[in-house]
């Protein structure tokens, strides 16, 4: 939860922002959303510049031989206009946060990124896709326009990985989305199962008045390989 976090100093290079790390281009801010329960607001006012928080520790690994994993975050955006901004939320691998990493100036996942989660692209501002990517492999969009966004309205987005079924399922506000993905060990789409991952929440501005992204809370739980969820 974001009920307590430090003031952000200059973040134009990646900094420790316990329990996270953070980066923001010049003019980016991490601020309290002034809401009951605590909310973190990400703001960047310059086109093609970004702000991001991520876990320093990487406690999760989504693998068919591992335990069941569930992820969920409660987020909102101030604008659903096209060409406003790009957003991703989910789990990603270890990396140094800079402009263009983990998403480039068009909001596209960079080619070396391992990621599982939700993506909003600037060309389709009121929609989020469910997606994953393994380093060096083609990004897989499980369901395009899976989540419809409403300005200044919270939405809970999440996914569940069931290793016994080798199945990845996505949710909006606790409701199962239409398309799931079978994750094979030996065939099919490459999946980032060989790396540990942690939270990422990234915002890339696509206009001079791009609006903000906010996160109320997130949670992730992974059982061990022999324990049910």
């Amino acid at each position: 939860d974001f009920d307590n976090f430090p003031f952000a100093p200059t973040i134009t290079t990646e900094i420790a922002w316990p329990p996270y790390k953070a980066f923001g281009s010049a003019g980016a801010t991490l601020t309290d959303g002034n809401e009951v329960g605590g909310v973190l607001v990400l703001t960047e006012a310059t086109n093609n510049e970004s702000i991001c928080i991520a876990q320093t520790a990487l406690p999760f690994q989504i693998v068919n031989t591992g335990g069941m994993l569930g992820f969920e975050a409660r987020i909102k955006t101030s604008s659903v206009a096209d060409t406003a901004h790009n957003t991703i939320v989910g789990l990603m691998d270890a990396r140094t946060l800079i402009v263009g990493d983990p998403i480039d100036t068009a909001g596209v996942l960079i080619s070396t990124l391992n990621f599982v989660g939700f993506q909003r692209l600037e060309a389709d501002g009121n929609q989020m896709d469910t997606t994953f990517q393994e380093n060096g492999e083609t990004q897989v969009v499980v369901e395009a326009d899976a989540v419809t966004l409403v300005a200044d309205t919270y939405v809970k987005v999440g996914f569940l990985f069931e290793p016994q079924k080798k199945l990845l399922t996505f949710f909006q506000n606790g409701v199962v989305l239409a398309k799931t993905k079978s994750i094979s060990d030996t065939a099919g789409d490459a999946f980032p199962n060989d790396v540990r991952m942690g939270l990422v929440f990234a915002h890339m501005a696509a206009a001079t008045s791009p609006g903000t992204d906010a996160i109320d809370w997130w949670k992730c739980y992974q059982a061990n390989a022999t324990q049910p969820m």
Side-chain angles (χ1 to χ4, degrees), residues 132-160:
F132 64 81
Q133 179 180 285
E134 183 181 13
N135 174 12
E137 301 289 343
T138 301
Q139 179 182 355
V140 176
V141 176
V142 178
E143 185 174 357
D145 298 346
V147 175
T148 298
L149 301 173
V150 178
D152 291 315
T153 302
Y154 280 108
V155 61
K156 291 186 293 183
V157 293
F159 57 85
L160 178 69

Side-chain angles (χ1 to χ4, degrees), residues 95-193:
R95 53 206 320 107
T96 300
L97 306 177
I98 59 173
V99 175
D101 190 342
I103 52 178
D104 68 15
T105 55
V108 176
L109 305 182
I110 68 164
S111 62
T112 58
L113 183 67
N114 293 284
F115 174 78
V116 181
F118 294 79
Q119 180 181 27
R120 163 190 167 158
L121 290 167
E122 61 188 70
D124 199 4
N126 70 332
Q127 303 289 332
M128 297 193 91
D129 302 336
T130 56
T131 188
F132 64 81
Q133 179 180 285
E134 183 181 13
N135 174 12
E137 301 289 343
T138 301
Q139 179 182 355
V140 176
V141 176
V142 178
E143 185 174 357
D145 298 346
V147 175
T148 298
L149 301 173
V150 178
D152 291 315
T153 302
Y154 280 108
V155 61
K156 291 186 293 183
V157 293
F159 57 85
L160 178 69
F161 183 74
E162 300 172 272
Q164 299 86 353
K165 298 179 181 179
K166 301 183 178 181
L167 185 68
L168 183 65
T169 304
F170 293 89
F171 299 82
Q172 175 183 358
N173 294 327
V175 178
V176 176
L177 295 174
K179 294 185 179 180
T180 60
K181 186 68 177 180
S182 296
I183 307 299
S184 173
D185 291 321
T186 57
D189 300 304
F191 187 77
N193 58 10

Side-chain angles (χ1 to χ4, degrees), residues 6-23:
F7 288 112
T10 300
I11 55 174
T12 49
T13 57
E14 180 186 276
I15 64 164
W17 197 67
Y20 304 98
K21 57 184 180 180
F23 166 82

Side-chain angles (χ1 to χ4, degrees), residues 1 20 25 29 36 39 42 92 100 121 129 135 145 151 196 218:
D1 206 342
Y20 304 98
S25 303
T29 60
V36 172
V39 171
L42 278 59
M92 77 169 184
L121 290 167
D129 302 336
N135 174 12
D145 298 346
R196 290 184 297 114
W218 73 281

